[in-house]
């Protein structure tokens, strides 16, 4: 395994750089043809398409539901969904994430949708992932072993594969009480801190008030949308710029450059854009490196906003202005003129302009004409801060000709242990 990781680290390290989009597209097409011939021919679900000489546009667009329904047919190793799910669920219950399906790593994912997903990767795919992460996210410092603190809902052999002579990996289970985790974090003194934004905010809050004393050289954000105000707060507390990683069950999709732009990994992903409006789109991804579970024209529910101008870093890979959330992070209201959509970024930016006197908040649309503001702040500030946020939401609604909406204020945020915090969400049953 270690030799494979070194091989892929060197492969990605010295891989040629693309000077133009045309050059990148030609490369993608060559890799895609090879992938069809060598990998998809082994998938019972896709083999017919390959034998009939279909091109990518002829393949069906699938989503998480279809991907899970067709799990047995899509994978190339004859893996049965029921057996893989039993292994993944047992690992979740026992909190022991080392068992494998043969020599394959199996993991459970819920994502922000809450629906079960399964990922299965081979040793080769694990080595590829580690090699890519070492090149684009956690750069090795030779002659010094770096300590990485990973705050995760669930550990995996995939993540622990990072453990080496260059990196020491420590798993922090976010199902445990935060104060217990921070005591362990203080003792560990990480060089690299990796967690979802809501956890990073809690850690930064404790650091700011003197209950934590760590000095990470790199901070990595993943799993949730990193809002601008959280980015500023966390980076200012630790005086470290945050590296944003865009990863989900379907793979390692992108990472931010030195200028803060998230670039999609188009040297092993082909991205089709399903336009929502303007520069907003849902990505439809095809990954020509995933050999165990082929990812072909897989539509994500994420809402991405394409960068309007080229990034100063010079990368030809698609750059994002930001990741806005998911389709059900958009509040939708009905008016006499039709549907009105309020995107999470618009709401979060409005709140940032109105007030910063809170620890966190959550805006939930609970009905066609009902919105709940969940607010975590000092008890003495609750009424004032709540009224500012409520007034801001009312102004947004009225500007869009939406009236008669009931807005309620709630003290505290409703979450479950290990869940991902979505600051804006539509929860209409």
């Amino acid at each position: 395994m270690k030799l494979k990781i070194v091989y892929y680290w060197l492969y990605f390290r010295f891989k040629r750089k693309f000077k133009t989009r045309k050059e990148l597209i030609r490369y993608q097409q060559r890799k895609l043809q090879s992938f069809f011939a060598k990998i998809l021919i082994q998938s019972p679900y896709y083999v017919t398409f390959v034998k009939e000489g279909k091109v990518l546009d002829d393949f069906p667009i699938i989503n998480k539901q279809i991907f899970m329904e067709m799990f047995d047919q899509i994978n190339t190793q004859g893996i049965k969904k029921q057996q893989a799910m039993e292994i993944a669920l047992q690992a979740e219950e026992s909190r022991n994430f080392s068992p494998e399906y043969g020599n394959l790593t199996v993991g459970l994912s819920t994502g922000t949708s809450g629906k079960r997903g399964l990922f299965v990767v081979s040793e080769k795919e694990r080595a590829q992932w580690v090699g890519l992460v070492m090149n684009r996210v956690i750069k090795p410092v030779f002659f010094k072993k770096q300590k990485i603190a990973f705050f995760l809902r669930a550990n995996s052999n995939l993540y622990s594969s990072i453990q080496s002579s260059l990196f020491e990996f420590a798993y922090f289970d976010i199902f445990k009480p935060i104060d217990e985790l921070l005591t362990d974090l203080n003792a560990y003194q990480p060089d690299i801190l990796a967690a979802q934004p809501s956890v990073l905010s809690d850690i930064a809050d404790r650091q700011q008030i003197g209950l934590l004393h760590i000095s990470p050289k790199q901070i990595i954000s993943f799993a949730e949308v990193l809002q601008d105000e959280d980015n500023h707060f966390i980076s200012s507390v630790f005086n470290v710029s945050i590296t944003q990683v865009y990863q989900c069950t379907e793979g390692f999709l992108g990472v931010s450059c030195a200028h803060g732009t998230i670039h999609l990994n188009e040297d092993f992903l082909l991205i089709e854009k399903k336009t929502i409006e303007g520069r907003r789109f849902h990505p439809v991804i095809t990954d020509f490196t995933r050999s165990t579970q082929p990812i072909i024209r897989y539509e994500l529910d994420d809402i991405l906003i394409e960068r309007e101008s080229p990034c100063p870093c010079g990368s030809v890979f698609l750059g994002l202005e930001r990741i806005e959330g998911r389709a059900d992070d958009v509040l939708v209201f009905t008016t006499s003129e039709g549907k009105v959509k309020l995107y999470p970024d618009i709401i979060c930016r409005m709140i940032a302009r109105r007030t910063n006197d809170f620890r966190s908040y959550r805006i939930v649309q609970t009905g066609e004409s009902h919105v709940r503001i969940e607010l975590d702040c000092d008890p003495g500030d609750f009424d004032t801060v709540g009224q500012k946020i409520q007034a801001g939401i009312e102004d947004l609604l009225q500007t869009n000709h939406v009236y008669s909406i009931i807005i309620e204020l709630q003290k505290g945020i409703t979450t479950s242990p290990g869940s991902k915090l979505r600051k804006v969400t539509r929860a209409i049953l």
Side-chain angles (χ1 to χ4, degrees), residues 32 34 38 43 51 71-72 78 97 106 111 172 200 221 225 231 257 270 281 331 338 352 359 366 406:
L32 205 56
S34 174
K38 295 178 181 178
S43 167
K51 288 183 175 180
F71 180 93
D72 292 5
F97 299 96
V106 179
F172 289 75
L200 289 175
S221 166
V225 175
N231 192 342
C257 67
L270 191 148
F281 67 95
L331 307 191
R359 281 183 285 273
T366 57
I406 299 170

Side-chain angles (χ1 to χ4, degrees), residues 23 140 163 293 306 397 417:
E23 188 179 340
Q163 189 93 351
Q293 266 183 306
E306 185 175 358
L397 291 169

Side-chain angles (χ1 to χ4, degrees), residues 298-310:
Y298 187 113
E299 182 179 343
L300 296 175
D301 210 17
D302 298 338
I303 300 171
L304 310 184
I305 303 180
E306 185 175 358
R307 186 183 169 93
E308 196 165 14
S309 58

Side-chain angles (χ1 to χ4, degrees), residues 303 326-332 341-344 365 424 426:
I303 300 171
R326 301 180 68 90
D328 49 357
D329 292 336
V330 180
L331 307 191
V332 181
K341 295 181 179 180
L342 291 186
Y343 289 95
Q365 183 180 4
V424 179
R426 188 172 76 254

Side-chain angles (χ1 to χ4, degrees), residues 204 243 254 264 294 323 375 378:
T243 301
L264 300 182
I323 299 169
L375 182 60
D378 291 335

Side-chain angles (χ1 to χ4, degrees), residues 284-352:
V284 179
I285 63 174
T286 296
D287 185 330
F288 35 80
T289 65
R290 291 285 292 272
S291 57
T292 306
Q293 266 183 306
I295 305 289
I296 305 294
R297 303 198 83 193
Y298 187 113
E299 182 179 343
L300 296 175
D301 210 17
D302 298 338
I303 300 171
L304 310 184
I305 303 180
E306 185 175 358
R307 186 183 169 93
E308 196 165 14
S309 58
C311 180
C313 77
S315 173
V316 300
F317 293 170
L318 181 64
L320 303 180
E321 184 174 306
R322 58 188 172 273
I323 299 169
E324 193 164 28
R326 301 180 68 90
D328 49 357
D329 292 336
V330 180
L331 307 191
V332 181
F333 302 93
T334 303
T335 70
S336 57
E337 299 175 0
K339 298 287 185 183
V340 170
K341 295 181 179 180
L342 291 186
Y343 289 95
D345 183 65
I346 295 171
I347 297 171
C348 293
R349 286 172 182 264
M350 175 278 295
I351 293 173

Side-chain angles (χ1 to χ4, degrees), residues 16 182 189 240-241:
R16 69 185 179 89
L182 296 184
Q189 289 295 310
V240 175
S241 296

Side-chain angles (χ1 to χ4, degrees), residues 177-194:
I178 185 68
D179 291 333
E180 179 184 331
L181 293 176
L182 296 184
T183 299
D184 293 341
L185 186 64
N186 235 344
Y188 188 61
Q189 289 295 310
D191 299 294
I192 300 171
L193 174 63

